[in-house]
Amino acid sequence: SPLLAVCFAASCGVPGIALLTLGVNPLTGALGAFNIFLYTCCYTPMKRMSIANTWVGAVVGAIPPVMGWTAATGSLDAGALLLGGILYSWQFPHFNALSWGLREDYSRGGYCMMSVTHPGLCRRVALRHCLALIGLSTVAPVLDITTWTFPVISLPINLYISYLGFRFYRDADRSSSRKLFFCSLWHLPMLLLVMFTCKKSFLEKEEKGNLLGGNHGRAMEIRLP
């Protein structure tokens, strides 16, 4: 029953948020609470109202890795936003390709999905965010999160999913959508594994910061009488 569902959700959600807030940090707990609100009060009702539900749902899916970053660092910085951006963009080829083969079911159920009401937009958005993954991978070393080997090593898998995204955009059939969907299943864990392998070490960043701080100190000493 709806009452049982609400009680079960509350019995999981409230202790979960409390554990994150008290056992990790308040920022991570706040993100968890916001994500529950976004999923239940915005994303779920919007499924029957507007195709914008897919963009809201992508934000919901992007927040958990951001919470992982804030749990480890206690801050909402560039690394958190980059991880969130990768998950946000990845979800469009993943879900749009999946929903393409379920158009009839969504239509019968009364759900407003791009694949049902705006099929051309569905394919364009999937391709657009496949290409965005290449750009986001290139931004990682610019933000000093990974080394420059990350965009190079990740380029083949990003190009491959972009190729499948183009095939889906061009062919608009179940075969191309299935290939894009199944590619998305291994693409994300592989991309994150490469990102982890190529990450900048904390000690390297600390030494760089100390070096810059030392140079600044020497410059100040030169200016002082």
Side-chain angles (χ1 to χ4, degrees):
S1 66
L3 178 61
L4 180 61
V6 170
C7 291
F8 178 76
S11 68
C12 295
V14 173
I17 294 169
L19 281 171
L20 288 172
T21 303
L22 302 174
V24 183
N25 56 56
L27 176 58
T28 305
L31 285 170
F34 174 69
N35 217 25
I36 292 174
F37 167 80
L38 196 62
Y39 193 99
T40 57
C41 299
C42 300
Y43 171 56
T44 300
M46 286 179 69
K47 288 181 178 182
R48 294 182 178 272
M49 298 166 56
S50 169
I51 61 170
N53 73 81
T54 305
W55 280 269
V56 177
V59 175
V60 172
I63 289 178
V66 175
M67 292 171 63
W69 186 280
T70 60
T73 66
S75 63
L76 194 62
D77 54 19
L81 298 179
L82 179 65
L83 276 177
I86 289 174
L87 265 291
Y88 178 83
S89 283
W90 171 84
Q91 285 172 95
F92 287 97
H94 172 74
F95 178 73
N96 286 14
L98 173 65
S99 66
W100 190 262
L102 302 173
R103 285 177 293 170
E104 294 82 3
D105 294 333
Y106 280 127
S107 180
R108 284 195 297 267
Y111 289 96
C112 294
M113 297 297 173
M114 275 188 283
S115 59
V116 177
T117 61
H118 299 75
L121 179 64
C122 176
R123 303 193 311 274
R124 287 196 301 273
V125 169
L127 175 59
R128 188 181 304 154
H129 283 276
C130 285
L131 298 172
L133 289 169
I134 300 175
L136 288 167
S137 298
T138 306
V139 168
V142 176
L143 297 176
D144 205 32
I145 296 167
T146 68
T147 64
W148 279 99
T149 55
F150 171 61
V152 175
I153 296 175
S154 64
L155 185 59
I157 61 173
N158 284 335
L159 286 176
Y160 184 65
I161 197 172
S162 298
Y163 165 72
L164 293 180
F166 172 74
R167 287 283 301 271
F168 174 51
Y169 168 74
R170 185 190 66 184
D171 299 341
D173 58 13
R174 291 179 183 271
S175 175
S176 60
S177 67
R178 279 198 303 268
K179 288 178 181 177
L180 178 59
F181 171 72
F182 284 116
C183 173
S184 70
L185 295 180
W186 60 258
H187 173 273
L188 180 64
M190 184 168 289
L191 183 67
L192 294 179
L193 179 62
V194 173
M195 190 178 189
F196 171 76
T197 306
C198 299
K199 69 182 179 69
K200 282 284 186 73
S201 70
F202 178 76
L203 291 176
E204 183 180 348
K205 290 183 180 180
E206 192 176 48
E207 289 172 359
K208 183 178 179 181
N210 291 337
L211 181 62
L212 292 174
N215 289 338
H216 177 70
R218 285 194 292 274
M220 292 293 292
E221 289 174 2
I222 292 172
R223 287 196 293 268
L224 291 173

